Amino acid sequence: MPGHFEPLPGGGAAVALDDVEISIIRSLAVQLLELIGPGPAENASDDPLAELFADGPSEPPSDPVLRRLFPDAYDDPEGAPASAERTEELRAYSSEFRRYTENDLRAGKRDNALAVIRSLDRLSAAGEGGAVLKLTPDDSRRWLSALNDLRLAIGSRLEITDEDDTDLLYRLPDEDPRKPMVMAYLWLGGLQETLVGTLMP
């Protein structure tokens, strides 16, 4: 079980984590929460219906990590030539889609990151030296989504755009300042892959 998730009888998954691993995942999840920002509830007025009918942003985020987490919904296939008119049309579709979906997408990503933090906090409270994290099937899906978001965020900071970029990461010298982030990216990828395996029928 060390270093990877294994299925639990009856559903769910378990992984052994030491204190350092718990601290790293928790810290990354907290940073993700800070990046995503507060939800409408934290900024809400006294109107209980305001959150329900609040429009989301209509423009893509300026931060490249947030653009990776909340990409435009409509885009021409890569390499396909697009006229200025077509580009403007796709931009308008994406803007409208973003207005009605991004608040919910942000809330979902926040909920998943919070689920990770809370489960790690319960684990930390149980004792020192690490422990075995046990997840229900529902918790496993939340963790899977959060791990994916963490990898997208780190991959964006590392400017990873395709599999060739990942291959180059393995050859980075130890003195490269990106090395700790690369190690976290690869480790989270291993956790994500084994967690997917536990959810397969």
Side-chain angles (χ1 to χ4, degrees):
M1 186 181 306
H4 61 273
F5 279 97
E6 291 184 358
L8 288 173
V15 63
L17 298 171
D18 65 30
D19 287 340
V20 173
E21 292 168 333
I22 292 168
S23 175
I24 289 170
I25 297 172
R26 190 186 188 287
S27 174
L28 290 171
V30 167
Q31 290 176 54
L32 181 64
L33 274 178
E34 291 170 353
L35 183 65
I36 293 170
E42 287 93 339
N43 299 325
S45 65
D46 293 333
D47 181 0
L49 296 177
E51 182 181 345
L52 183 62
F53 295 105
D55 280 351
S58 58
E59 294 299 318
S62 58
D63 186 296
V65 174
L66 288 175
R67 275 200 308 274
R68 188 88 174 263
L69 292 171
F70 305 103
D72 278 336
Y74 298 95
D75 205 357
D76 269 332
E78 216 170 290
S83 66
E85 183 179 302
R86 176 68 177 155
T87 301
E88 193 56 41
E89 182 181 39
L90 291 174
R91 189 175 293 129
Y93 290 155
S94 291
S95 175
E96 192 72 2
F97 187 83
R98 187 178 295 278
R99 272 184 57 214
Y100 294 113
T101 61
E102 189 166 314
N103 283 344
D104 286 341
L105 290 173
R106 283 180 183 258
K109 291 181 186 300
R110 259 192 307 274
D111 289 347
N112 293 332
L114 276 171
V116 167
I117 292 166
R118 288 176 181 143
S119 60
L120 292 175
D121 285 348
R122 285 191 300 271
L123 199 62
S124 297
E128 294 182 8
V132 175
L133 174 69
K134 294 182 179 179
L135 302 174
T136 66
D138 187 51
D139 288 336
S140 294
R141 286 185 283 276
R142 288 178 177 275
W143 263 75
L144 188 59
S145 294
L147 287 172
N148 186 61
D149 288 342
L150 291 173
R151 291 192 78 239
L152 283 174
I154 294 171
S156 180
R157 291 288 186 237
L158 291 171
E159 299 180 352
I160 296 171
T161 57
D162 58 35
E163 204 56 44
D164 291 340
D165 294 335
T166 306
D167 293 340
L168 293 174
L169 297 179
Y170 286 102
R171 297 193 291 275
L172 281 180
D174 289 341
E175 59 273 13
D176 192 300
R178 297 170 295 171
K179 190 73 172 192
M181 202 182 302
V182 167
M183 298 306 293
Y185 178 82
L186 297 173
W187 172 57
L188 291 174
L191 286 176
Q192 184 181 17
E193 185 176 342
T194 58
L195 185 52
V196 167
T198 70
L199 293 170
M200 303 293 271

mmCIF file of all heavy atoms in Angstrom, residues 1 5 8-9 16 22 25 47 49 57 59 72 81 83 93 95 102 115 121-122 127-128 130 132 152-153 172 189:
data_model
loop_
_atom_site.group_PDB
_atom_site.id
_atom_site.type_symbol
_atom_site.label_atom_id
_atom_site.label_comp_id
_atom_site.label_asym_id
_atom_site.label_seq_id
_atom_site.Cartn_x
_atom_site.Cartn_y
_atom_site.Cartn_z
ATOM 1 N N MET A 1 0.796 -1.218 0.000
ATOM 2 C CA MET A 1 0.000 0.000 0.000
ATOM 3 C C MET A 1 0.836 1.279 0.000
ATOM 4 O O MET A 1 0.360 2.303 -0.434
ATOM 5 C CB MET A 1 -0.929 -0.013 1.211
ATOM 6 C CG MET A 1 -1.894 1.137 1.243
ATOM 7 S SD MET A 1 -2.947 1.119 2.684
ATOM 8 C CE MET A 1 -3.659 -0.493 2.610
ATOM 9 N N PHE A 5 -2.693 3.870 -4.001
ATOM 10 C CA PHE A 5 -4.006 3.491 -3.501
ATOM 11 C C PHE A 5 -4.282 2.030 -3.815
ATOM 12 O O PHE A 5 -3.887 1.524 -4.865
ATOM 13 C CB PHE A 5 -5.102 4.345 -4.145
ATOM 14 C CG PHE A 5 -5.261 5.701 -3.520
ATOM 15 C CD1 PHE A 5 -4.645 6.814 -4.078
ATOM 16 C CD2 PHE A 5 -6.034 5.871 -2.378
ATOM 17 C CE1 PHE A 5 -4.795 8.072 -3.511
ATOM 18 C CE2 PHE A 5 -6.194 7.120 -1.807
ATOM 19 C CZ PHE A 5 -5.574 8.221 -2.369
ATOM 20 N N LEU A 8 -10.516 -1.055 -1.283
ATOM 21 C CA LEU A 8 -11.008 -1.605 -0.024
ATOM 22 C C LEU A 8 -12.150 -2.573 -0.312
ATOM 23 O O LEU A 8 -12.917 -2.361 -1.258
ATOM 24 C CB LEU A 8 -11.515 -0.484 0.886
ATOM 25 C CG LEU A 8 -10.456 0.430 1.513
ATOM 26 C CD1 LEU A 8 -11.142 1.577 2.250
ATOM 27 C CD2 LEU A 8 -9.558 -0.348 2.460
ATOM 28 N N PRO A 9 -12.289 -3.601 0.478
ATOM 29 C CA PRO A 9 -13.434 -4.502 0.294
ATOM 30 C C PRO A 9 -14.744 -3.726 0.437
ATOM 31 O O PRO A 9 -14.893 -2.903 1.342
ATOM 32 C CB PRO A 9 -13.285 -5.519 1.446
ATOM 33 C CG PRO A 9 -11.858 -5.423 1.864
ATOM 34 C CD PRO A 9 -11.421 -4.014 1.580
ATOM 35 N N ALA A 16 -1.362 4.468 2.373
ATOM 36 C CA ALA A 16 -0.535 4.828 3.522
ATOM 37 C C ALA A 16 0.222 6.109 3.188
ATOM 38 O O ALA A 16 0.871 6.200 2.144
ATOM 39 C CB ALA A 16 0.438 3.699 3.853
ATOM 40 N N ILE A 22 1.398 13.833 3.836
ATOM 41 C CA ILE A 22 0.149 14.482 4.275
ATOM 42 C C ILE A 22 0.290 15.993 4.185
ATOM 43 O O ILE A 22 -0.585 16.684 3.673
ATOM 44 C CB ILE A 22 -0.210 14.049 5.719
ATOM 45 C CG1 ILE A 22 -0.596 12.570 5.746
ATOM 46 C CG2 ILE A 22 -1.338 14.911 6.286
ATOM 47 C CD1 ILE A 22 -0.696 11.985 7.143
ATOM 48 N N ILE A 25 0.337 17.247 0.379
ATOM 49 C CA ILE A 25 -0.979 17.242 -0.273
ATOM 50 C C ILE A 25 -1.869 18.312 0.328
ATOM 51 O O ILE A 25 -2.567 19.042 -0.382
ATOM 52 C CB ILE A 25 -1.651 15.858 -0.172
ATOM 53 C CG1 ILE A 25 -0.830 14.805 -0.907
ATOM 54 C CG2 ILE A 25 -3.063 15.913 -0.763
ATOM 55 C CD1 ILE A 25 -1.327 13.381 -0.700
ATOM 56 N N ASP A 47 -29.643 38.575 0.443
ATOM 57 C CA ASP A 47 -30.652 37.947 -0.410
ATOM 58 C C ASP A 47 -30.304 36.472 -0.622
ATOM 59 O O ASP A 47 -29.301 36.140 -1.258
ATOM 60 C CB ASP A 47 -30.706 38.677 -1.754
ATOM 61 C CG ASP A 47 -31.753 38.101 -2.695
ATOM 62 O OD1 ASP A 47 -32.442 37.142 -2.299
ATOM 63 O OD2 ASP A 47 -31.863 38.618 -3.814
ATOM 64 N N LEU A 49 -31.584 34.330 -2.543
ATOM 65 C CA LEU A 49 -31.678 33.897 -3.934
ATOM 66 C C LEU A 49 -30.550 34.455 -4.804
ATOM 67 O O LEU A 49 -30.401 34.055 -5.948
ATOM 68 C CB LEU A 49 -33.027 34.310 -4.526
ATOM 69 C CG LEU A 49 -34.260 33.658 -3.894
ATOM 70 C CD1 LEU A 49 -35.532 34.213 -4.523
ATOM 71 C CD2 LEU A 49 -34.203 32.152 -4.050
ATOM 72 N N PRO A 57 -18.364 34.893 -14.181
ATOM 73 C CA PRO A 57 -17.573 35.759 -15.060
ATOM 74 C C PRO A 57 -17.819 35.392 -16.520
ATOM 75 O O PRO A 57 -18.152 34.255 -16.836
ATOM 76 C CB PRO A 57 -16.133 35.459 -14.641
ATOM 77 C CG PRO A 57 -16.191 34.119 -14.007
ATOM 78 C CD PRO A 57 -17.550 33.970 -13.401
ATOM 79 N N GLU A 59 -15.454 36.479 -18.923
ATOM 80 C CA GLU A 59 -14.138 36.458 -19.569
ATOM 81 C C GLU A 59 -13.263 35.376 -18.941
ATOM 82 O O GLU A 59 -13.396 35.077 -17.755
ATOM 83 C CB GLU A 59 -13.448 37.820 -19.406
ATOM 84 C CG GLU A 59 -14.140 38.948 -20.142
ATOM 85 C CD GLU A 59 -14.191 38.714 -21.643
ATOM 86 O OE1 GLU A 59 -13.179 38.265 -22.211
ATOM 87 O OE2 GLU A 59 -15.244 38.986 -22.244
ATOM 88 N N ASP A 72 -11.969 27.688 -21.944
ATOM 89 C CA ASP A 72 -13.110 28.044 -22.785
ATOM 90 C C ASP A 72 -13.797 26.764 -23.252
ATOM 91 O O ASP A 72 -13.153 25.772 -23.568
ATOM 92 C CB ASP A 72 -12.655 28.856 -24.002
ATOM 93 C CG ASP A 72 -12.457 30.330 -23.675
ATOM 94 O OD1 ASP A 72 -13.084 30.819 -22.699
ATOM 95 O OD2 ASP A 72 -11.689 30.994 -24.386
ATOM 96 N N PRO A 81 -7.737 26.493 -39.395
ATOM 97 C CA PRO A 81 -7.786 27.944 -39.620
ATOM 98 C C PRO A 81 -9.170 28.483 -39.277
ATOM 99 O O PRO A 81 -10.185 27.859 -39.574
ATOM 100 C CB PRO A 81 -7.489 28.084 -41.119
ATOM 101 C CG PRO A 81 -7.855 26.764 -41.701
ATOM 102 C CD PRO A 81 -7.659 25.735 -40.632
ATOM 103 N N SER A 83 -11.646 32.033 -39.272
ATOM 104 C CA SER A 83 -11.807 33.419 -39.690
ATOM 105 C C SER A 83 -12.021 34.274 -38.454
ATOM 106 O O SER A 83 -12.347 33.784 -37.377
ATOM 107 C CB SER A 83 -13.015 33.534 -40.619
ATOM 108 O OG SER A 83 -14.202 33.232 -39.893
ATOM 109 N N TYR A 93 -19.797 32.433 -27.663
ATOM 110 C CA TYR A 93 -20.369 31.196 -27.108
ATOM 111 C C TYR A 93 -19.682 30.841 -25.786
ATOM 112 O O TYR A 93 -20.333 30.478 -24.803
ATOM 113 C CB TYR A 93 -20.199 30.024 -28.079
ATOM 114 C CG TYR A 93 -21.045 30.099 -29.325
ATOM 115 C CD1 TYR A 93 -20.640 29.442 -30.488
ATOM 116 C CD2 TYR A 93 -22.247 30.805 -29.354
ATOM 117 C CE1 TYR A 93 -21.407 29.493 -31.646
ATOM 118 C CE2 TYR A 93 -23.013 30.850 -30.507
ATOM 119 C CZ TYR A 93 -22.587 30.195 -31.645
ATOM 120 O OH TYR A 93 -23.349 30.241 -32.787
ATOM 121 N N SER A 95 -18.079 32.798 -23.763
ATOM 122 C CA SER A 95 -18.405 33.796 -22.748
ATOM 123 C C SER A 95 -19.757 33.514 -22.106
ATOM 124 O O SER A 95 -19.910 33.548 -20.885
ATOM 125 C CB SER A 95 -18.401 35.190 -23.392
ATOM 126 O OG SER A 95 -18.816 36.158 -22.478
ATOM 127 N N GLU A 102 -19.412 28.719 -14.674
ATOM 128 C CA GLU A 102 -18.151 28.789 -13.932
ATOM 129 C C GLU A 102 -18.355 28.832 -12.421
ATOM 130 O O GLU A 102 -17.564 28.240 -11.676
ATOM 131 C CB GLU A 102 -17.293 29.980 -14.381
ATOM 132 C CG GLU A 102 -15.911 29.909 -13.758
ATOM 133 C CD GLU A 102 -14.906 30.836 -14.389
ATOM 134 O OE1 GLU A 102 -14.824 30.891 -15.630
ATOM 135 O OE2 GLU A 102 -14.200 31.507 -13.621
ATOM 136 N N ALA A 115 -12.668 18.616 0.768
ATOM 137 C CA ALA A 115 -12.806 17.215 1.184
ATOM 138 C C ALA A 115 -11.431 16.593 1.425
ATOM 139 O O ALA A 115 -11.242 15.826 2.379
ATOM 140 C CB ALA A 115 -13.580 16.425 0.124
ATOM 141 N N ASP A 121 -6.872 16.270 7.659
ATOM 142 C CA ASP A 121 -6.890 16.797 9.029
ATOM 143 C C ASP A 121 -7.346 15.728 10.019
ATOM 144 O O ASP A 121 -6.799 15.617 11.117
ATOM 145 C CB ASP A 121 -7.796 18.028 9.129
ATOM 146 C CG ASP A 121 -7.161 19.265 8.506
ATOM 147 O OD1 ASP A 121 -5.951 19.230 8.200
ATOM 148 O OD2 ASP A 121 -7.886 20.266 8.324
ATOM 149 N N ARG A 122 -8.348 14.937 9.638
ATOM 150 C CA ARG A 122 -8.793 13.845 10.509
ATOM 151 C C ARG A 122 -7.674 12.817 10.674
ATOM 152 O O ARG A 122 -7.463 12.271 11.755
ATOM 153 C CB ARG A 122 -10.042 13.171 9.939
ATOM 154 C CG ARG A 122 -11.306 13.996 10.107
ATOM 155 C CD ARG A 122 -12.553 13.188 9.780
ATOM 156 N NE ARG A 122 -12.589 12.688 8.420
ATOM 157 C CZ ARG A 122 -13.099 13.363 7.386
ATOM 158 N NH1 ARG A 122 -13.596 14.576 7.566
ATOM 159 N NH2 ARG A 122 -13.094 12.831 6.178
ATOM 160 N N GLY A 127 -2.846 10.782 14.981
ATOM 161 C CA GLY A 127 -1.531 10.465 15.527
ATOM 162 C C GLY A 127 -0.408 10.928 14.625
ATOM 163 O O GLY A 127 -0.636 11.452 13.549
ATOM 164 N N GLU A 128 0.829 10.754 15.092
ATOM 165 C CA GLU A 128 1.998 11.204 14.349
ATOM 166 C C GLU A 128 2.663 10.023 13.646
ATOM 167 O O GLU A 128 2.446 8.872 13.997
ATOM 168 C CB GLU A 128 2.990 11.884 15.298
ATOM 169 C CG GLU A 128 2.443 13.179 15.887
ATOM 170 C CD GLU A 128 3.465 13.871 16.778
ATOM 171 O OE1 GLU A 128 4.614 13.421 16.799
ATOM 172 O OE2 GLU A 128 3.088 14.843 17.430
ATOM 173 N N GLY A 130 2.389 9.355 10.390
ATOM 174 C CA GLY A 130 1.655 8.908 9.223
ATOM 175 C C GLY A 130 0.571 7.920 9.597
ATOM 176 O O GLY A 130 0.475 7.466 10.744
ATOM 177 N N VAL A 132 -2.909 5.348 7.621
ATOM 178 C CA VAL A 132 -3.563 4.843 6.416
ATOM 179 C C VAL A 132 -4.839 5.641 6.206
ATOM 180 O O VAL A 132 -5.708 5.675 7.074
ATOM 181 C CB VAL A 132 -3.886 3.338 6.545
ATOM 182 C CG1 VAL A 132 -4.685 2.871 5.335
ATOM 183 C CG2 VAL A 132 -2.597 2.534 6.682
ATOM 184 N N LEU A 152 -3.187 19.592 -12.866
ATOM 185 C CA LEU A 152 -3.367 20.606 -13.903
ATOM 186 C C LEU A 152 -2.700 21.921 -13.483
ATOM 187 O O LEU A 152 -2.064 22.595 -14.301
ATOM 188 C CB LEU A 152 -4.857 20.850 -14.162
ATOM 189 C CG LEU A 152 -5.589 19.801 -14.992
ATOM 190 C CD1 LEU A 152 -7.083 20.110 -15.022
ATOM 191 C CD2 LEU A 152 -5.033 19.726 -16.407
ATOM 192 N N ALA A 153 -2.860 22.286 -12.210
ATOM 193 C CA ALA A 153 -2.273 23.531 -11.712
ATOM 194 C C ALA A 153 -0.748 23.477 -11.775
ATOM 195 O O ALA A 153 -0.099 24.407 -12.279
ATOM 196 C CB ALA A 153 -2.755 23.799 -10.279
ATOM 197 N N LEU A 172 15.424 16.345 -15.802
ATOM 198 C CA LEU A 172 15.872 17.582 -15.175
ATOM 199 C C LEU A 172 16.974 17.300 -14.166
ATOM 200 O O LEU A 172 16.873 16.350 -13.379
ATOM 201 C CB LEU A 172 14.716 18.268 -14.435
ATOM 202 C CG LEU A 172 13.705 19.071 -15.248
ATOM 203 C CD1 LEU A 172 12.659 19.657 -14.321
ATOM 204 C CD2 LEU A 172 14.371 20.169 -16.043
ATOM 205 N N GLY A 189 0.621 12.158 -9.894
ATOM 206 C CA GLY A 189 0.174 11.363 -11.039
ATOM 207 C C GLY A 189 0.088 9.886 -10.700
ATOM 208 O O GLY A 189 -0.856 9.202 -11.108
#
